[in-house]
């Protein structure tokens, strides 16, 4: 039995250096893990920066979309003002024709005053149209720049 115990002890001692790991044996693995961790931190920071850029780009796109909606609302309002102005002009023309037919001089001053109001309203609408047109041109220039950038990225 002593021989068996001795044989086991010798076998154990000869295997021990292979079983016990030294810190230096894993130094390369630890360095790789640390390098990978640093790289992951860098990637995460880049992702955060890119996400912030994406959010800002989406915010700008939302502002652009809002500008387009606002411009469209201006066009709708201006169209309605023009329609009402045209309606007023048509009725005013009918009043003038009626006045010419009847020849009532007392209506002449009232018609003249209405026509001056019509002309003033028309001048104001012309200024509004110029402003709406300027807004459209500004928006169109912005869109053209965006389209050019998008086409160049293909």
């Amino acid at each position: 039995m002593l021989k068996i115990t001795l044989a086991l002890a010798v076998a154990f001692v000869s295997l021990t250096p292979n079983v016990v790991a030294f810190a230096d044996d894993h130094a390369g693995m630890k360095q790789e893990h640390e390098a990978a961790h640093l790289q992951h931190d860098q990637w995460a920071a880049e992702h955060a920066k890119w996400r912030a850029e994406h959010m800002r780009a989406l915010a700008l796109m939302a502002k652009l979309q809002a500008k387009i909606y606002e411009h469209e609302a201006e066009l709708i309002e201006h169209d309605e003002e023009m329609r009402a102005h045209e309606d007023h002009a048509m009725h005013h023309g009918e009043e003038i024709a009626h006045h010419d037919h009847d020849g009532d001089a007392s209506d002449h001053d009232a018609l003249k005053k209405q026509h001056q109001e019509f002309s003033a309203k028309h001048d104001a609408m012309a200024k509004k149209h110029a402003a709406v047109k300027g807004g459209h041109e500004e928006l169109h220039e912005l869109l053209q720049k965006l389209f050019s950038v998008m086409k160049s990225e293909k």
Side-chain angles (χ1 to χ4, degrees), residues 93-105 107 111:
E94 291 171 355
E95 291 170 349
I96 291 170
H98 180 71
H99 172 73
D100 286 343
H101 185 269
D102 287 347
D104 186 358
D107 290 343
L111 285 174

Side-chain angles (χ1 to χ4, degrees), residues 3-154:
K3 286 183 181 183
I4 294 174
T5 305
L6 189 57
L8 285 173
V10 170
F12 181 73
V13 170
S14 67
L15 292 176
T16 301
N18 294 336
V19 174
V20 175
F22 295 102
D24 290 344
D25 292 342
H26 299 126
M29 286 187 233
K30 288 179 181 178
Q31 287 176 341
E32 286 182 21
H33 288 179
E34 183 60 28
H37 176 71
L38 292 173
Q39 196 170 36
H40 295 165
D41 286 347
Q42 178 187 356
W43 292 346
E46 288 175 347
H47 287 187
K49 179 184 174 203
W50 296 340
R51 283 190 161 134
E53 289 171 351
H54 295 167
M55 295 305 287
R56 286 187 181 97
L58 290 170
L60 283 174
M61 289 172 60
K63 287 178 183 178
L64 177 60
Q65 185 178 26
K67 276 188 160 217
I68 294 169
Y69 281 133
E70 183 59 36
H71 180 65
E72 191 62 27
E74 288 176 340
L75 291 175
I76 291 168
E77 290 171 343
H78 193 57
D79 281 345
E80 177 53 25
E81 289 173 358
M82 287 186 309
R83 188 211 56 78
H85 190 63
E86 281 291 318
D87 186 61
H88 180 79
M90 183 183 73
H91 290 297
H92 187 63
E94 291 171 355
E95 291 170 349
I96 291 170
H98 180 71
H99 172 73
D100 286 343
H101 185 269
D102 287 347
D104 186 358
S106 64
D107 290 343
H108 184 72
D109 288 338
L111 285 174
K112 188 174 181 179
K113 183 179 178 187
Q114 286 177 354
H115 185 74
Q116 288 171 341
E117 290 171 1
F118 173 84
S119 293
K121 174 109 177 165
H122 184 78
D123 291 343
M125 287 180 61
K127 288 178 184 174
K128 173 144 187 190
H129 181 76
V132 170
K133 184 177 181 179
H136 176 77
E137 290 169 353
E138 180 182 314
L139 181 61
H140 188 70
E141 285 177 24
L142 181 61
L143 289 170
Q144 287 302 321
K145 288 177 185 177
L146 178 62
F147 294 152
S148 294
V149 168
M150 296 303 290
K151 285 179 183 177
S152 68
E153 289 184 359
K154 286 183 180 181

